[in-house]
Amino acid sequence: QVQLVESGGGSVQVGGALRLSCAPSGRIPSRTPMGWFRQPPGKEREFVAAISSSAANTFYAASVKGRFTISRDDATNTVYLQMNGLKPEDTAVYYCAADPEGNYYNPADWGYWGQGTQVTVSS
């Protein structure tokens, strides 16, 4: 069962911007933190950003801080990732995740995942 669905990926030039969206397609906990990870070709998934249930707390990887902004709509459990100032090293498949049980930075601690959306940054 697909429980999260990402959208908004695409191909942009260096310095461009994209906004990713993620919404539940199945039943997930109604109150849960949500986050974004990414996986460059041939590499492991890495943490990008996370946001608490009330949106009071946000967390970012050092590589994206100041360029990316995570936000959410608690009524629908929709989470967004605004990506500005994109760089070639941002190229990856971006995955949405929900319901961490422990460490936000560890992909294995998250219970729900989307199928991924491709982001390609060209120079």
Side-chain angles (χ1 to χ4, degrees):
Q1 180 182 16
V2 176
Q3 294 169 305
L4 298 171
V5 179
E6 304 96 337
S7 62
S11 182
V12 298
Q13 295 182 348
V14 170
L18 287 171
R19 189 177 79 148
L20 306 183
S21 300
C22 172
S25 64
R27 188 157 66 94
I28 65 171
S30 60
R31 184 177 181 273
T32 180
M34 302 185 75
W36 291 94
F37 291 76
R38 65 187 183 187
Q39 187 168 8
K43 298 183 178 181
E44 300 295 324
R45 282 178 296 173
E46 65 181 23
F47 174 80
V48 176
I51 188 166
S52 65
S53 299
S54 65
N57 300 291
T58 58
F59 308 87
Y60 296 94
S63 59
V64 307
K65 189 175 296 184
R67 299 188 297 120
F68 291 10
T69 303
I70 189 170
S71 60
R72 70 181 296 155
D73 179 348
D74 276 356
T76 61
N77 275 347
T78 300
V79 64
Y80 306 92
L81 186 69
Q82 178 67 47
M83 305 185 295
N84 298 328
L86 285 163
K87 304 175 180 179
E89 53 262 44
D90 295 319
T91 295
V93 177
Y94 283 70
Y95 295 93
C96 178
D99 195 23
E101 294 187 352
N103 187 352
Y104 280 23
Y105 302 93
N106 182 10
D109 285 349
W110 293 74
Y112 301 89
W113 291 90
Q115 81 285 3
T117 186
Q118 177 71 47
V119 171
T120 302
V121 185
S122 301
S123 61

